[in-house]
Amino acid sequence: MARTNNVTELIITGLFQDPQVQRVCFAVFLPVYLATVVGNGLIVLTVSISKSLRSPMYFFLSHLSLVEISYSSTVVPKFLTDLLSKMKTISLEGCLAQIFFFHFFGVAEILLLVVMAYDRCVAICKPLRYMSIMNRQLCHILVPGSWFGGFFHSIIQILITIQLPFCGPNVIDHYFCDLQPLFKLACTDTFVEGVVVMANSGLFSIFSFLLLVSSYVVILVSLRSRSAEGRRQALSTCASHVTGVTLFFGSAIFPYMRPPSTFTEDKLVAVFYTVVTPMLNPIIYTLRNAEVKVALKRLWGKKENSDGAKMGK
């Protein structure tokens, strides 16, 4: 039977129905998104310019910030526009594109977090060989590998989805396009597709989570023979990463690691991992990192000196 699509445009229900609440949400989430772009962009700029941030850890951090900007930008600009619109619509092709890039950047972020955990593991367990193990060649393999992993995961999801027929209804019960809400609109049984999609997301999440846990188990085991001060310093370098991993996985596991459901909480949880978490990462990774704070001060110091010199002329 040939696939037929009578649906070319989808109506998005949004986060809230009350126009007044939507305007309040716009006033709250617009500064959050701008802070996400500016904060993460500042980290990318600082790492690329500062000569003191040349270690692999900061190379990975700059790519994580770049992914955060891209990840948030697949959802939030459209979400903000819809908050001020009476009719929230998106084309079916646009919906599929949003799903593709959302999962692409989301999995790339997960894999980058795994890479950063491995980096911390090597730094703590093999400090004398750190630079030789985490050499430039390996770094330039791990980062593109994270992007490729996100692409591979996402292309599987899309290849499954584009085969589904959509002949009505056309109302997607979410504030952005995602797989499970879209599957509910298909005019065919999507049980098998849902299981495959959940298995794909679940395997990536479980495999990544196990790698993360393994890295920190190795770190904890290696710290047993060190002094209390040595353990404190080593764990302090991991604290930011653990916080970032907890925030991301804690919110992402809820909708993707359980059977499909109609939980209204999904939307609120989705706000956390699409809007809030990308903004928090710059704060998490800079407030606890003295080198990044010093580099930022130097960067802004040079800018102020440069501006002062221009004004003096």
Side-chain angles (χ1 to χ4, degrees):
M1 181 177 174
R3 181 177 71 93
T4 57
N5 276 346
N6 297 330
V7 174
T8 59
E9 190 175 66
L10 299 170
I11 298 172
I12 300 172
T13 59
L15 188 60
F16 299 106
Q17 303 302 315
D18 189 332
Q20 180 107 21
V21 175
Q22 290 184 48
R23 286 193 289 271
V24 172
C25 287
F26 179 85
V28 171
F29 293 140
L30 177 60
V32 171
Y33 175 65
L34 293 176
T36 299
V37 175
V38 173
N40 283 289
L42 194 57
I43 288 179
V44 174
L45 180 64
T46 303
V47 173
S48 63
I49 292 177
S50 178
K51 295 180 179 178
S52 62
L53 303 179
R54 293 298 183 214
S55 73
M57 176 175 69
Y58 300 113
F59 176 70
F60 299 138
L61 177 58
S62 67
H63 278 273
L64 179 67
S65 295
L66 183 61
V67 169
E68 290 285 22
I69 295 172
S70 305
Y71 174 73
S72 183
S73 296
T74 61
V75 172
V76 182
K78 178 73 170 77
F79 171 47
L80 291 172
T81 303
D82 285 343
L83 286 172
L84 300 180
S85 304
K86 290 184 179 179
M87 198 68 174
K88 306 168 180 58
T89 61
I90 187 171
S91 67
L92 182 60
E93 292 79 9
C95 183
L96 292 172
Q98 189 177 60
I99 290 171
F100 173 81
F101 287 108
F102 179 70
H103 283 263
F104 172 35
F105 294 123
V107 171
E109 178 174 353
I110 290 174
L111 296 178
L112 273 173
L113 290 172
V114 173
V115 168
M116 292 173 74
Y118 174 70
D119 173 74
R120 291 299 81 207
C121 184
V122 174
I124 292 171
C125 301
K126 305 282 185 181
L128 300 179
R129 297 181 56 202
Y130 173 65
M131 292 308 296
S132 62
I133 295 174
M134 301 300 298
N135 54 62
R136 179 170 296 190
Q137 183 179 5
L138 180 61
C139 291
H140 284 86
I141 291 173
L142 292 174
V143 168
S146 299
W147 289 94
F148 177 76
F151 176 82
F152 180 72
H153 161 81
S154 194
I155 202 69
I156 292 174
Q157 310 287 64
I158 289 300
L159 288 176
I160 292 169
T161 307
I162 60 174
Q163 299 178 46
L164 297 174
F166 296 96
C167 46
N170 68 333
V171 179
I172 188 165
D173 186 19
H174 216 309
Y175 67 87
F176 69 98
C177 285
D178 205 359
L179 290 164
Q180 296 302 340
L182 185 61
F183 278 7
K184 294 175 185 176
L185 305 185
C187 47
T188 186
D189 182 20
T190 59
F191 175 77
V192 174
E193 288 82 1
V195 170
V196 173
V197 161
M198 192 173 69
N200 186 23
S201 299
L203 286 174
F204 264 97
S205 300
I206 292 172
F207 180 68
S208 301
F209 186 73
L210 289 176
L211 287 176
L212 285 165
V213 171
S214 299
S215 297
Y216 283 103
V217 167
V218 172
I219 288 172
L220 291 173
V221 170
S222 70
L223 291 178
R224 288 188 304 176
S225 59
R226 299 195 186 183
S227 64
E229 179 62 19
R231 287 196 295 269
R232 188 192 65 78
Q233 291 180 351
L235 291 174
S236 178
T237 65
C238 300
S240 299
H241 186 260
V242 172
T243 305
V245 167
T246 302
L247 285 172
F248 187 84
F249 272 87
S251 57
I253 281 175
F254 182 78
Y256 293 111
M257 294 294 290
R258 58 171 176 75
S261 167
T262 57
F263 288 154
T264 55
E265 292 89 344
D266 280 6
K267 293 182 184 181
L268 298 177
V269 173
V271 168
F272 190 78
Y273 64 75
T274 57
V275 183
V276 180
T277 302
M279 180 201 67
L280 294 177
N281 270 346
I283 300 171
I284 293 168
Y285 287 103
T286 55
L287 287 182
R288 296 185 61 88
N289 193 304
E291 286 182 308
V292 174
K293 286 190 285 188
V294 169
L296 282 169
K297 288 177 182 177
R298 286 176 180 168
L299 177 66
W300 283 105
K302 287 180 182 178
K303 185 178 182 300
E304 288 172 0
N305 291 337
S306 176
D307 290 345
K310 289 178 181 178
M311 291 176 67
K313 292 181 179 178

